[in-house]
Amino acid sequence: CNGKSWHFILLPLAQVHEIYRIVFLFYMALVLFGVMNVVTSVFVESAIMSAQHYKDLIIQEKQQEKEIAMRHMKEVFKHIDEDDSGEITADEMEEFLLDSALRKYVEALNISAEDTRMLFRLLDRDGSKKVDINEFCEGCLRLQGDAKSFDVHTMIFTIKQFP
């Protein structure tokens, strides 16, 4: 190594006075811990920045997935709305879901189409017996995937509110 051994530095200091040796050791410990603290903080800062970047990527990916799902749902809506009225009825939806290829397409969006009438009622939020494109897309997004614990607890809470 190119550095000097501490022994060669401590000997002359001890010959002058013992306090100098103690002050030197305290100084070296302080500098050593200071440098280690700086190095550790660089690693921690890097890890925090990496975690934040990862979080941003997850949010961006979820947003892109939602946009793609919305495009697909609008396409499905256009197929269901045969009369181009801008709204679909339960009959139009039932007729659409009779086609097995179209039914599989809806199921590929993670939306169960087992009970067509119930699916239509769940999509028809305002009870108008017609579903517009916004109700359809928002409803399909809500119905995608399996029920989450939050959904189940919300349902239990709502049921308990009735006397």
Side-chain angles (χ1 to χ4, degrees):
C1 274
N2 292 334
K4 291 191 176 197
S5 174
W6 287 19
H7 175 70
F8 294 119
I9 296 173
L10 281 177
L11 274 177
L13 289 175
Q15 289 173 356
V16 174
H17 196 277
E18 189 66 28
I19 194 76
Y20 290 122
R21 191 170 78 159
I22 294 170
V23 169
F24 176 75
L25 289 175
F26 178 74
Y27 170 76
M28 289 306 295
L30 186 68
V31 168
L32 182 66
F33 285 121
V35 169
M36 286 178 18
N37 190 25
V38 168
V39 170
T40 302
S41 68
V42 167
F43 282 114
V44 169
E45 180 70 23
S46 174
I48 289 171
M49 295 298 283
S50 177
Q52 180 63 35
H53 179 68
Y54 181 69
K55 184 175 130 183
D56 293 342
L57 285 176
I58 289 174
I59 291 169
Q60 184 180 9
E61 182 179 320
K62 291 293 182 187
Q63 186 64 30
Q64 285 176 342
E65 287 175 8
K66 184 178 177 181
E67 289 171 7
I68 290 169
M70 289 291 279
R71 273 192 302 231
H72 286 293
M73 288 174 207
K74 287 178 181 179
E75 192 66 34
V76 169
F77 183 86
K78 289 176 186 174
H79 284 303
I80 297 173
D81 186 22
E82 292 177 350
D83 60 359
D84 291 326
S85 64
E87 297 177 321
I88 57 175
T89 62
D91 293 332
E92 284 178 315
M93 183 169 228
E94 201 166 283
E95 186 177 322
F96 172 80
L97 292 174
L98 287 176
D99 184 351
S100 65
L102 297 173
R103 183 184 194 95
K104 287 178 184 175
Y105 182 68
V106 170
E107 289 173 353
L109 292 173
N110 264 346
I111 300 168
S112 174
E114 291 300 315
D115 185 354
T116 308
R117 293 286 174 177
M118 179 54 79
L119 177 61
F120 185 81
R121 278 187 243 137
L122 290 172
L123 293 174
D124 185 19
R125 296 286 294 233
D126 61 3
S128 65
K129 307 286 189 218
K130 293 184 179 189
V131 175
D132 65 20
I133 194 163
N134 291 330
E135 278 181 311
F136 183 79
C137 292
E138 289 172 12
C140 287
L141 281 177
R142 250 189 354 270
L143 296 174
Q144 276 186 327
D146 299 325
K148 305 285 189 253
S149 177
F150 178 79
D151 299 327
V152 173
H153 286 284
T154 301
M155 189 175 217
I156 291 169
F157 177 79
T158 304
I159 290 170
K160 285 182 179 179
Q161 298 302 312
F162 290 106

